[in-house]
Amino acid sequence: MKLPVGVQPNSTFLPWLSSAGQTDEAGPATTSEDDTSEEMEDYVQKYACSLMLLGMLIKYYEDAIKEGDANREEKFWKIGMLIFKARVNRQSNRVKYAFESFKYLALVNAVLPPQLALKLKWGRFVNSNGGANNMECDRRLESEVRSVKDKMDAMGKNLTPVSAQRIARSSNNTTAMLKHFYQHCEVHPEVLSRSKMSRALYLQIMVNDLLCQDVLTFIPGRRHSAFPSHNRSPVQDLSASALLNWMKTLVRKFARGNLSFLANED
């Protein structure tokens, strides 16, 4: 990939790939079989593969949200539950996130009646612009709350409890009125949004750094001080037996009619 004229290859955006902090080669030779096997590993390549997998999984989730595809979103939570239950650096796991994933899957597939399960599954999105522009309901609510706060901030010292109630009650109507006004005046949406710097150039620099450092090429014994050891797959340290026992425990609570576990795992 060729960079624009005047742009030199560097590691500004990926400092861990710079020559000063570049990966370390294999350490002193030892007779241990474990050390010998570790010297044949390329932990930088494993880190890059793991990062790409998680990045594509997040893009898969974001695209499912935009399309309002609840079936694809459900698949994401099934995969996410495995990733959340996997041990991180052989130390711990993210139990709360795994439990939230299991709770959603349990509600949709077993706990709720069919009508409520269908409503929960397909009623998680809202679309006010048409097309593939869906967003989560809680995210839309946060956007509306932010809009109300911005209107209140504009009042300054004139803000009173009465005016605050009026702003909150009329926020949706004023937003719809302004949207209709801008459409009638043919105002481009980019004019209304905050200007953003183009990320194309910075993306080129980052990709060039990755290509120059050959992070996807296997080099035995390569590692970095920030991650001297790293798994290639996020679920490599997942214990299938521990996961099964954990799920059976929650299922038994559900079978006994103890639905309080849906609110709190403890």
Side-chain angles (χ1 to χ4, degrees), residues 163-181:
S163 61
Q165 290 181 359
R166 291 177 179 175
I167 292 175
R169 293 173 180 174
S170 62
S171 177
N172 292 335
N173 293 332
T174 54
T175 302
M177 181 179 63
L178 288 174
K179 181 180 178 180
H180 178 74
F181 174 78

Side-chain angles (χ1 to χ4, degrees), residues 109-168:
N109 296 287
V111 177
L112 296 178
Q115 293 182 349
L116 292 180
L118 191 66
K119 183 177 180 180
L120 174 63
K121 182 176 180 179
W122 293 95
R124 296 163 58 88
F125 320 108
V126 60
N127 191 333
S128 58
N129 298 322
N133 294 308
N134 292 274
M135 66 173 60
E136 303 90 328
C137 293
D138 54 350
R139 182 181 173 188
R140 172 61 184 274
L141 181 60
E142 292 178 0
S143 177
E144 293 180 355
V145 172
R146 190 186 312 113
S147 177
V148 173
K149 289 182 177 179
D150 292 340
K151 294 182 176 66
M152 291 182 179
D153 291 339
M155 294 288 293
K157 296 181 179 180
N158 297 324
L159 182 64
T160 62
V162 177
S163 61
Q165 290 181 359
R166 291 177 179 175
I167 292 175

Side-chain angles (χ1 to χ4, degrees), residues 47-154:
Y47 177 85
C49 294
S50 176
L51 183 63
M52 291 179 62
L53 187 149
L54 293 176
M56 289 187 290
L57 184 62
I58 293 175
K59 293 298 294 184
Y60 175 86
Y61 174 73
E62 292 178 347
D63 185 68
I65 294 296
K66 290 182 179 180
E67 297 290 342
D69 193 339
N71 291 326
R72 292 171 60 192
E73 187 201 19
E74 184 178 357
K75 293 180 181 178
F76 167 82
W77 288 116
K78 291 179 180 179
I79 301 174
M81 183 177 66
L82 302 179
I83 296 177
F84 297 145
K85 282 296 294 182
R87 298 176 65 85
V88 181
N89 295 329
R90 300 180 176 87
Q91 295 179 358
S92 61
N93 53 46
R94 293 133 303 191
V95 180
K96 292 184 178 180
Y97 298 102
F99 174 72
E100 290 297 326
S101 303
F102 176 85
K103 182 174 71 173
Y104 170 72
L105 297 173
L107 288 172
V108 171
N109 296 287
V111 177
L112 296 178
Q115 293 182 349
L116 292 180
L118 191 66
K119 183 177 180 180
L120 174 63
K121 182 176 180 179
W122 293 95
R124 296 163 58 88
F125 320 108
V126 60
N127 191 333
S128 58
N129 298 322
N133 294 308
N134 292 274
M135 66 173 60
E136 303 90 328
C137 293
D138 54 350
R139 182 181 173 188
R140 172 61 184 274
L141 181 60
E142 292 178 0
S143 177
E144 293 180 355
V145 172
R146 190 186 312 113
S147 177
V148 173
K149 289 182 177 179
D150 292 340
K151 294 182 176 66
M152 291 182 179
D153 291 339

Side-chain angles (χ1 to χ4, degrees), residues 42 230 250:
D42 185 354
H230 200 280
L250 296 180

Side-chain angles (χ1 to χ4, degrees), residues 114 220 247:
M247 295 179 64

